[in-house]
Amino acid sequence: QVQLVESGGGLVQPGGSLRLSCAASGGTSNSYAMGWFRQASGKEHEFVAIISASGGRLVYADSVKGRFTISRDNAKNTMYLQMDSLSPEDTAVYSCAAAARSLYSSTWYKRRELYTYWGQGTQVTVSS
């Protein structure tokens, strides 16, 4: 079974940057699309971004497009989320997830129940 562990969260001032990492173990990630969700206090889970197994396709939520960059290094079994121009609205617990599905088929990636593996999440707080 694949295990996912997030890291890199913390406290940052508005306008600052953070880079989150999602490390996979217990298997290889080269056959999985991998993405990020976030959940702010009192709010529902929100899709953030996803990257295809090969890294050839990237999809972002409108709320983060142009500010966040998703990437992956399959040799290291690690996915990254570079977050720039952060605002207090980005404050949330960020979780990574993986699914053996193609991003060239449909918009399934917004449905949490279609992901097979999940990490525990890492807290990102944007505050002055």
Side-chain angles (χ1 to χ4, degrees):
Q1 184 175 359
V2 175
Q3 297 182 40
L4 304 177
V5 179
E6 302 94 340
S7 62
L11 176 64
V12 64
Q13 293 185 331
S17 299
L18 283 175
R19 189 183 73 161
L20 305 182
S21 298
C22 176
S25 63
T28 60
S29 62
N30 61 0
S31 63
Y32 297 96
M34 299 182 70
W36 293 91
F37 283 78
R38 66 185 183 184
Q39 184 177 35
S41 296
K43 298 183 179 180
E44 297 183 355
H45 280 87
E46 177 188 15
F47 167 77
V48 177
I50 192 168
I51 185 169
S52 63
S54 67
R57 188 178 185 192
L58 315 175
V59 182
Y60 298 93
D62 290 341
S63 59
V64 306
K65 190 174 182 64
R67 299 187 298 120
F68 290 11
T69 303
I70 190 170
S71 62
R72 67 190 298 162
D73 185 341
N74 285 344
K76 298 181 179 180
N77 288 328
T78 302
M79 174 184 62
Y80 306 95
L81 184 68
Q82 177 66 43
M83 305 184 295
D84 299 321
S85 300
L86 287 164
S87 71
E89 295 182 3
D90 297 312
T91 296
V93 174
Y94 285 71
S95 300
C96 66
R101 292 177 176 270
S102 172
L103 286 186
Y104 297 90
S105 57
S106 67
T107 57
W108 61 268
Y109 47 83
K110 294 184 177 181
R111 299 174 59 186
R112 292 184 294 128
E113 67 270 24
L114 297 183
Y115 291 78
T116 303
Y117 304 105
W118 287 88
Q120 294 183 342
T122 185
Q123 177 70 48
V124 172
T125 302
V126 185
S127 176
S128 60

